[in-house]
Amino acid sequence: MNDAKLIACSRMYNVSPGVRARWDDLFVWLGGQAGVALDIVAHASPAPLSELWERPDMGAVFMCGYPLSRWWDAERPTILAAPVAQASWAGGRPYYASHIVVAADGPLKLASGLAAATWGWTVRDSQSGYNAPRGFLADLLSGKAPERRTVGPLLNPTGVVEALRSGRIEVGAIDAYAYELMAMHEPDTVAGLRIVATTEPTPCPPLVSSPSAPAEMVSALRQALLRAHELEDGRALLRQLGLARFALPEMADYGILAERAEAVDRRLAAW
């Protein structure tokens, strides 16, 4: 179709080597279906995700909806499609949420103790690991100042889990879809954790392409993702990732993320 070489990356949801291998399988299938050569890259932590999202050769890369919602210039990435999880919190839509989690054997036994707990957070440009838990806590505090310190950046869900287990934090937020992947494929990772609440669902991270990626390649990748659930081999790959299908969201859908973050900033000091 085109001699251009584009990259694919599931960094946001590379919750373990085994899960990454399943994403790689999906990307290999996607490239074959679309007739697009995809170079699968890791862009492993602690390399900043912001550097990944600025690459001019993105073909299919997961991007958090919050920074996408605040990116209005001509270099903003192009949405390919967004995953629709099989889990009930998705409601059959390309939405996700954050699980508020504690150590099952930790000091917090009741959700009423969350307001005075030590919270952990991932990175400040994250919806699931920063803005969602801050909004949840702001509602709990009802205008009062937090009583305890916060700990971060913990970078990713794995960092939150490790901080909970070590006792550095008492409560944290984990992307509900990332939690689902860990529970499916690496159950020991979330063993000993307890979900005490789940935030309101919001538009989930989409797969994006660079704005300079050839239009015909972007279209082919998008169409392959959108029809994956219609094909037997596509459905098998989706099941391995806890997905029902991919859907095409509108860019305007993500505006709510920036609006909510700004509202929380007015109610709660930055972590």
Side-chain angles (χ1 to χ4, degrees), residues 16-246:
S16 74
V19 172
R20 184 194 165 186
R22 288 172 169 84
W23 283 116
D24 290 354
D25 289 343
L26 178 67
F27 288 142
V28 169
W29 178 90
L30 174 61
Q33 285 288 313
V36 174
L38 290 175
D39 184 15
I40 303 171
V41 301
H43 195 81
S45 180
L49 279 165
S50 57
E51 293 181 359
L52 174 66
W53 299 330
E54 291 172 355
R55 287 185 59 151
D57 58 349
M58 289 191 300
V61 172
F62 271 112
M63 182 174 185
C64 180
Y66 172 61
L68 183 64
S69 72
R70 301 175 66 240
W71 198 330
W72 290 106
D73 64 28
E75 298 305 310
R76 183 177 68 197
T78 300
I79 293 175
L80 282 182
V84 178
Q86 294 175 337
S88 60
W89 39 257
R93 301 177 296 170
Y95 274 53
Y96 76 148
S98 293
H99 289 322
I100 307 301
V101 296
V102 301
D105 60 355
L108 285 180
K109 303 302 180 185
L110 299 174
S112 58
L114 295 177
T118 299
W119 285 69
W121 52 275
T122 55
V123 291
R124 289 191 175 93
D125 60 356
S126 169
Q127 167 63 23
S128 61
Y130 184 76
N131 287 322
R134 288 180 72 239
F136 181 88
L137 180 58
D139 289 341
L140 288 180
L141 294 171
S142 299
K144 300 177 184 178
E147 299 177 26
R148 300 289 292 276
R149 69 188 182 92
T150 61
V151 177
L154 299 173
L155 301 182
N156 52 41
T158 301
V160 173
V161 171
E162 291 173 351
L164 283 167
R165 288 187 169 151
S166 69
R168 289 179 64 204
I169 63 174
E170 295 170 293
V171 58
I174 296 179
D175 176 319
Y177 178 52
Y179 193 99
E180 188 83 6
L181 288 172
M182 290 188 285
M184 286 176 62
H185 298 292
E186 308 288 344
D188 289 347
T189 305
V190 294
L193 299 184
R194 181 162 56 93
I195 299 171
V196 295
T198 300
T199 63
E200 181 180 355
T202 56
C204 69
L207 284 167
V208 301
S209 295
S210 300
S212 57
E216 69 276 14
M217 298 176 76
V218 172
S219 178
L221 290 167
R222 179 181 292 123
Q223 292 308 311
L225 287 168
L226 295 178
R227 69 170 183 261
H229 66 287
E230 300 173 357
L231 304 173
E232 184 176 351
D233 53 352
R235 285 194 298 271
L237 291 166
L238 294 175
R239 282 195 298 271
Q240 288 293 311
L241 293 165
L243 298 178
R245 61 189 175 91
F246 279 90

